[in-house]
Amino acid sequence: MIHDQFKAQLTIDQIDKGAIAAQAPSNIALVKYWGKYGQQLPKNTSISFTLSNCKTTTTLEFERKNSPGFDFEVYLDEQREIAFEPKIEAFFERILPYCPYLEEYSFKINTHNSFPHSSGIASSASGMSALATCLVQLEQKISTIDLTPEDAIQKASFLSRLGSGSACRSLEGPIVVWGEHDAVNESSNLFGTLLRKDIHPIFKDYCDTILLVDKGQKQVSSTVGHGLMHGHPFAQVRFDQANENIGKILKVLSEGDQAKFIEIVESEALSLHAMMMTSLPYFILFKPNTLKIIETIWHYRKDTGIPVCFTLDAGANVHVLYASSDAEAVQNFISKELSQYCQNRQFIHDKAGMGASLI
C-alpha cells in the first residue's frame, strides 16, 4: 500500500552534488515490540526512552548520475562495509515509492556508532533513523514543496521504520510510542508518535547505563527473532499483554510511580526473552553474567531501597534504569559491583534524550 502523504513531489534539477550529515540516537523499549506483519508493521504497541549518548552519526554524500538503478557504497568508520549493502539496498527498494530521487543520485554513506555494533544496542535503529533524516533533508533541497519540521520528522520516522522497525522511535524524545493504541492520540503503526501527555519530571531525564556483557555479534538477528513469532503458541497472549502494559505504563509515566514502573519494565524484558526461549527454534540470549547482573540489581534494590531496575533488548547486554536524582549512588554501585560482569569492565552511561538532528 502506498501512503500518498509520504510521496515526494520533486523537481530534480536544483542540485548536482553535496553532502548532508545527521545524528540519531538508539532507544530502549520499556514495553517491547516483538512480532510484525506486512511491511514492517508491529503486532503490538511499544514505548521507549530515546537515548542521548548511544548514537549513530551519518554523512550522506550525493552526486547526480545518468545510469538507471541504485548506486551507493556504505562505510563504517571510513572502511567499506560491503556486508551492510544488501540491507541498504532492500531499504532503498522499500522506500523508492516515497523517495524516487534515490535512482537519480550516486551515494556514499559514511557512518559511525558511538557504541559497539550488533551487540544488543539498537544500532540498526539509530543507523536507519540517521540515514532517513539525511534523505528527508536531501528531499527538502530538491523538492517543490517545503515540509514543515513536524512533517519532516514524521516522514523520517515513516522511512526509517521500513529499514528497522524500532528506528521510527528514535526521531524524537524523550518518550515515543509506536503502534496504534486507544490511549495515545494520533498513534500509528506507520511511524513513531512523541508522547505529549503529561510526563512526570522524574522520567524526563531518566538514566540508562548499558552494561556491555557481550560486545560480539548477536546470536540471532532481530529479523529472525521477529519471524519466530509467526505460529508461536504464546504470540497472541504476548501481544495482548504488551498492549495492556501500554495503558499501565502511561499512567505510571504521568504519576511518577517508580515501583510500578519497575514491575512493568522488568516483566516486559523477561517476557521478551521468554518468547525466544519458547519458540521453535529456541534461543537463550542471556549470558551467565546477564543473570548475575539481574540478581545483583535485585539484591541492591532490596538492601538500599533505591528504585533501580533493568531491561534488556534481544541480546545479553543489560540496561540499568534509574532516576537522575539517584545517579551518584547507582553509578557508584555499577562501577564497584556490576562492572565486574561486563566485558573488559565496560559500560556506557546514557540518559533520555531528544532524538535525531542535522549536523
Side-chain angles (χ1 to χ4, degrees):
M1 178 178 180
I2 303 301
H3 303 279
D4 289 340
Q5 69 269 36
F6 296 114
K7 294 172 73 174
Q9 299 185 41
L10 307 172
T11 302
I12 309 180
D13 60 2
Q14 298 177 8
I15 186 168
D16 287 330
K17 65 180 179 179
I20 298 166
Q23 60 183 23
S26 184
N27 63 77
I28 179 63
L30 307 174
V31 173
K32 309 294 183 180
Y33 133 73
W34 201 243
K36 57 188 175 182
Y37 71 99
Q39 198 168 58
Q40 296 285 94
L41 299 171
K43 294 289 284 186
N44 66 266
T45 308
S46 59
I47 188 168
S48 60
F49 279 136
T50 309
L51 298 180
S52 293
N53 300 329
C54 290
K55 60 190 175 184
T56 298
T57 300
T58 295
T59 301
L60 180 71
E61 300 178 29
F62 57 92
E63 185 171 0
R64 282 287 303 274
K65 68 181 181 67
N66 296 318
S67 58
F70 301 134
D71 182 11
F72 65 90
E73 294 179 347
V74 179
Y75 292 78
L76 177 64
D77 296 327
E78 305 299 331
Q79 297 295 317
R80 178 84 181 270
E81 285 288 349
I82 295 175
F84 289 0
E85 292 176 2
K87 185 171 184 175
I88 298 300
E89 183 166 12
F91 174 53
F92 278 7
E93 288 173 351
R94 285 177 178 172
I95 68 173
L96 183 61
Y98 314 101
C99 307
Y101 48 87
L102 291 175
E103 292 188 314
E104 303 292 330
Y105 289 92
S106 296
F107 297 103
K108 182 177 180 181
I109 303 167
N110 291 287
T111 188
H112 167 74
N113 294 326
S114 66
F115 55 90
H117 175 75
S118 295
S119 59
I121 304 171
S123 59
S124 60
S126 58
M128 287 298 180
S129 53
L131 177 56
T133 299
C134 290
L135 291 172
V136 171
Q137 180 64 14
L138 172 59
E139 179 178 321
Q140 292 281 75
K141 290 179 178 292
I142 60 179
S143 178
T144 58
I145 296 178
D146 287 334
L147 296 175
T148 66
E150 293 77 13
D151 288 343
I153 289 171
Q154 191 174 92
K155 178 158 185 176
S157 180
F158 173 84
L159 295 177
S160 65
R161 187 202 91 241
L162 293 171
S164 172
S166 60
C168 73
R169 298 192 309 246
S170 283
L171 275 296
E172 298 180 276
I175 300 174
V176 176
V177 175
W178 174 36
E180 296 177 4
H181 199 282
D182 291 341
V184 182
N185 291 336
E186 301 180 350
S187 58
S188 174
N189 289 343
L190 300 178
F191 46 81
T193 302
L194 180 66
L195 184 63
R196 300 185 186 277
K197 289 186 174 183
D198 290 339
I199 301 173
H200 192 280
I202 201 168
F203 291 119
K204 290 183 178 180
D205 61 350
Y206 222 62
C207 296
D208 176 10
T209 297
I210 303 98
L211 306 182
L212 301 179
V213 176
D214 182 8
K215 297 194 294 180
Q217 185 78 23
K218 290 191 293 186
Q219 181 182 352
V220 57
S221 71
S222 295
T223 298
V224 172
H226 286 291
L228 295 173
M229 294 297 282
H230 296 298
H232 195 297
F234 309 134
Q236 190 56 53
V237 175
R238 166 58 198 152
F239 302 146
D240 293 342
Q241 176 197 43
N243 287 324
E244 182 179 350
N245 279 340
I246 290 289
K248 291 178 179 178
I249 204 165
L250 289 173
K251 186 172 184 289
V252 166
L253 292 170
S254 175
E255 296 178 351
D257 185 343
Q258 289 192 86
K260 192 66 177 176
F261 176 85
I262 289 170
E263 178 182 303
I264 296 168
V265 168
E266 291 191 343
S267 173
E268 276 286 316
L270 295 174
S271 293
L272 169 65
H273 283 257
M275 299 309 291
M276 292 297 293
M277 289 189 281
T278 53
S279 64
L280 283 175
Y282 39 80
F283 295 91
I284 297 176
L285 304 183
F286 291 145
K287 298 293 184 183
N289 281 351
T290 306
L291 295 174
K292 289 179 180 178
I293 288 168
I294 290 171
E295 290 176 344
T296 304
I297 290 172
W298 284 344
H299 286 306
Y300 176 79
R301 189 168 71 218
K302 181 179 179 181
D303 292 344
T304 66
I306 295 175
V308 57
C309 68
F310 73 88
T311 190
L312 307 158
D313 271 340
N317 295 335
V318 181
H319 292 249
V320 185
L321 302 177
Y322 51 96
S324 59
S325 57
D326 293 318
E328 183 177 356
V330 174
Q331 290 178 7
N332 185 55
F333 161 63
I334 289 168
S335 296
K336 289 186 175 181
E337 297 191 45
L338 297 184
S339 65
Q340 65 181 307
Y341 303 119
C342 301
Q343 189 172 337
N344 299 322
R345 303 185 73 93
Q346 288 185 296
F347 52 84
I348 302 170
H349 288 315
D350 212 331
K351 65 192 312 180
M354 300 309 292
S357 61
L358 294 167
I359 300 173

